[in-house]
Amino acid sequence: MRIRTKIALIYTQLTFFVMLWAFAFVYILMIRNTEEVFYDLLWKRAMITAHYNFEKDEMTESAYQDVVERYNQKLMGESHEIINAHDFYEIDSLKNMIPNENDLQMLLNGKTIEYRMGDRQYLGVYYPDNEGDFLVIVSAHDTQGAESAKNLLKLLTIILIITTIFVYMIGEFYAKKIFSPIVKIIKNVKSITASNLKSDLIEEKGNDELSELSRTFNDMILRLRDAFEMQNSFIRNASHELRNPLTAIIGETEITLNKERTPKEYIETLETIQYEFERLNNMIRDLLSLAQTGYDFSRVDKKQVDLSKVVEKTCYNFKGAEINMDIPEYGKYEITGVESLLVHAFTNVIGNAIKFSKGQPVDIKFSREDNNYKISVTDKGIGIPYRDIKNIFQPFYRAGNTATYKGTGIGLALSYKIVDLHNGKMEVESEEGNGTTFHMFFRIN
Ligand code: ADP
């Protein structure tokens, strides 16, 4: 069953029961009230009956005529019994007429009693007179009241049925209206494939939960779009970059093999080939490392490592470079991680700082910020042009000012990924021509 039908049904059920309860209340109240009114009527009939039977001698002729006239205007199916209150034999037979012993006692004690048997209402009064004390019991059938009750019941039932159907229809209508964005979202999401991620996003007007859902979907679509675009550009760049050295090698060998060469020329060709192969080798190694970081990192064997020691060890590999280290609290930068990967990350960042500043001094500073260890690597090199900064962590991306510098554009993306796997983040501050600082943040355990 569709949720919108379910909601409409729940809504209808609720309305049905509330109305049923209210109508039952009204109906019972009305029946009670009709009964009361009829008992009043019966009481008046009892009095007129008593006057008719016992007061003739104490009334003027005209007053008595009036009583006779009223006595004759009987109720529907009216009957009376007049019994001497002291006549035990008759009182015995009264028991059939007054089924409740209590009521009988009350009546004998002078109280007025009211009760119902079948569809007849009864009223008994104790009537003391100079001729003796009497019990007057009047009964009649309230046909008008019963008719009104029947009509009311019919009316309430019809109202209940019509309202229930109406409420169900309204419920369906509104549920459909409320759920229409969801239907739209479902339709949109169904039509999303990797190739049409660029199609229109889902409408997200308003401030309710459904707009929130649409927004979440849109965010997801945008993220997927970015991821697909990144993947596409990665593949484009990777094939291009891998082909470059191969094209160079093939070109170089073809030219060399065109004619007989001197040993010196052969050596030069071999050197070029070696250089291109090294480039290819480095690129493949970096690509493999990048691919490896995509594995399930939670399964990789991790240990406690001290970042200050790892950075120091990494710096030993840059013999001849001037690196200034500022490490307050040396040995107190422990995180859980994989040392070899961290060395890889730091080597790339520090190596870039040295490479892009042509050997000028590089500063490495350790500090704590919020709940993080912060490592900042600063150089005074060529910097990164403003327009390139946002893409700098993407694989194969190289800024526009690096044409004369060797490189593949993979190293920084790899460092970024490694820091990310260690629950850290990487940020860059740079100004073209003035230098660059890479900050790496690692959460303190
Ligand atoms: P590359 O192999 O070119 O060094 P990386 O992936 O290591 O590639 O870096 C990507 C790009 O980021 C570089 O080509 C360069 O444009 C920029 N970059 C990285 N580090 C620096 C730095 N210290 N100074 C200036 N530019 C940098």
Side-chain angles (χ1 to χ4, degrees):
M1 193 192 283
R2 285 169 169 265
I3 293 185
R4 77 163 195 239
T5 312
K6 261 190 207 166
I7 289 181
L9 278 179
I10 292 171
Y11 185 53
T12 311
Q13 260 176 32
L14 207 74
T15 319
F16 176 80
F17 285 115
V18 170
M19 277 182 48
L20 189 69
W21 188 86
F23 284 1
F25 186 70
V26 168
Y27 183 69
I28 291 169
L29 221 64
M30 183 264 179
I31 298 259
R32 287 253 170 95
N33 194 42
T34 318
E35 259 184 15
E36 283 308 312
V37 171
F38 200 65
Y39 281 129
D40 281 351
L41 224 58
L42 285 180
W43 186 82
K44 279 180 193 144
R45 293 304 301 161
M47 286 303 126
I48 288 171
T49 306
H51 289 166
Y52 175 77
N53 283 291
F54 306 118
E55 309 296 343
K56 187 178 181 186
D57 49 343
E58 287 161 42
M59 282 179 161
T60 61
E61 183 56 27
S62 71
Y64 187 68
Q65 274 316 310
D66 185 41
V67 169
V68 173
E69 202 174 303
R70 284 167 66 194
Y71 175 75
N72 285 330
Q73 293 165 3
K74 290 193 173 153
L75 297 171
M76 185 73 89
E78 179 178 325
S79 68
H80 353 91
E81 295 284 335
I82 297 172
I83 294 154
N84 193 320
H86 305 293
D87 191 336
F88 290 106
Y89 171 71
E90 287 197 12
I91 287 172
D92 260 1
S93 70
L94 244 186
K95 281 181 184 161
N96 291 332
M97 210 182 291
I98 308 175
N100 188 324
E101 183 71 26
N102 248 356
D103 279 352
L104 182 59
Q105 281 313 316
M106 272 166 63
L107 184 61
L108 289 171
N109 288 338
K111 301 248 165 56
T112 301
I113 59 164
E114 297 167 347
Y115 60 95
R116 178 184 261 286
M117 270 202 299
D119 56 2
R120 292 179 79 79
Q121 279 177 249
Y122 288 76
L123 181 121
V125 286
Y126 190 90
Y127 193 83
D129 189 67
N130 49 8
E131 294 172 37
D133 293 341
F134 294 93
L135 306 176
V136 181
I137 298 170
V138 190
S139 75
H141 177 47
D142 185 6
T143 36
Q144 208 183 333
E147 192 62 24
S148 306
K150 216 162 99 188
N151 285 341
L152 182 69
L153 190 65
K154 216 190 276 172
L155 188 72
L156 292 181
T157 312
I158 291 172
I159 294 178
L160 189 66
I161 293 171
I162 292 179
T163 316
T164 306
I165 295 173
F166 194 59
V167 163
Y168 176 76
M169 276 158 49
I170 291 187
E172 265 276 340
F173 173 76
Y174 278 110
K176 191 173 169 190
K177 213 168 157 183
I178 291 171
F179 276 89
S180 70
I182 290 204
V183 176
K184 225 166 165 183
I185 292 172
I186 293 172
K187 213 170 119 201
N188 277 0
V189 172
K190 267 189 192 160
S191 69
I192 293 171
T193 60
S195 52
N196 75 351
L197 273 176
K198 280 199 173 69
S199 67
D200 282 352
L201 293 175
I202 303 164
E203 209 178 277
E204 46 182 65
K205 273 189 286 183
N207 227 347
D208 53 16
E209 289 83 349
L210 291 179
S211 321
E212 183 78 31
L213 181 68
S214 305
R215 259 193 290 279
T216 314
F217 264 120
N218 284 344
D219 283 352
M220 186 190 76
I221 293 171
L222 288 176
R223 277 201 305 274
L224 281 177
R225 203 182 271 184
D226 284 351
F228 275 114
E229 262 164 28
M230 237 162 85
Q231 202 177 40
N232 281 341
S233 82
F234 179 85
I235 293 168
R236 254 195 326 273
N237 289 333
S239 39
H240 180 74
E241 293 297 326
L242 287 172
R243 207 141 17 123
N244 271 354
L246 287 176
T247 318
I249 291 167
I250 293 169
E252 191 72 23
T253 43
E254 268 175 6
I255 293 168
T256 312
L257 289 174
N258 259 350
K259 56 177 185 170
E260 192 88 358
R261 304 276 174 187
T262 61
K264 192 173 168 260
E265 281 173 327
Y266 281 126
I267 289 171
E268 274 173 10
T269 304
L270 280 176
E271 274 173 358
T272 313
I273 291 174
Q274 186 190 21
Y275 168 76
E276 293 298 344
F277 267 126
E278 264 173 19
R279 203 149 81 95
L280 203 59
N281 190 32
N282 287 345
M283 212 169 346
I284 289 171
R285 185 203 58 209
D286 282 353
L287 272 177
L288 282 177
S289 312
L290 192 63
Q292 263 171 358
T293 56
Y295 290 154
D296 188 358
F297 191 63
S298 59
R299 294 220 208 129
V300 179
D301 195 17
K302 278 160 272 179
K303 291 199 176 79
Q304 285 297 101
V305 281
D306 190 284
L307 294 171
S308 54
K309 290 179 186 162
V310 180
V311 169
E312 198 183 41
K313 205 152 112 191
T314 309
C315 289
Y316 289 145
N317 298 329
F318 296 103
K319 290 193 184 84
E322 193 182 326
I323 301 174
N324 305 316
M325 271 197 276
D326 177 4
I327 311 182
E329 303 180 88
Y330 175 82
K332 286 195 175 152
Y333 295 90
E334 277 212 338
I335 62 158
T336 317
V338 183
E339 185 168 332
S340 60
L341 285 179
L342 289 168
V343 168
H344 214 101
F346 297 142
T347 305
N348 285 333
V349 176
I350 299 169
N352 277 346
I354 297 168
K355 178 168 76 179
F356 291 113
S357 66
K358 293 211 167 117
Q360 288 184 72
V362 171
D363 295 325
I364 301 178
K365 186 173 164 38
F366 274 69
S367 58
R368 285 168 191 248
E369 200 177 277
D370 301 327
N371 199 31
N372 294 301
Y373 297 127
K374 180 178 174 188
I375 306 171
S376 307
V377 179
T378 307
D379 65 68
K380 297 194 171 48
I382 59 170
I384 304 169
Y386 180 72
R387 64 178 180 284
D388 293 315
I389 285 190
K390 64 177 188 310
N391 295 319
I392 215 68
F393 293 112
Q394 291 202 18
F396 293 111
Y397 196 90
R398 304 194 75 213
N401 58 346
T402 56
T404 55
Y405 295 83
K406 279 195 209 167
T408 58
I410 303 174
L412 199 57
L414 188 59
S415 303
Y416 187 85
K417 190 81 201 248
I418 292 171
V419 174
D420 182 58
L421 288 175
H422 285 81
N423 275 330
K425 62 178 182 177
M426 218 168 148
E427 286 172 5
V428 60
E429 270 177 60
S430 186
E431 204 181 311
E432 195 177 357
N434 274 335
T436 306
T437 300
F438 280 97
H439 301 287
M440 287 170 276
F441 298 88
F442 294 90
R443 209 170 302 149
I444 300 174
N445 292 329

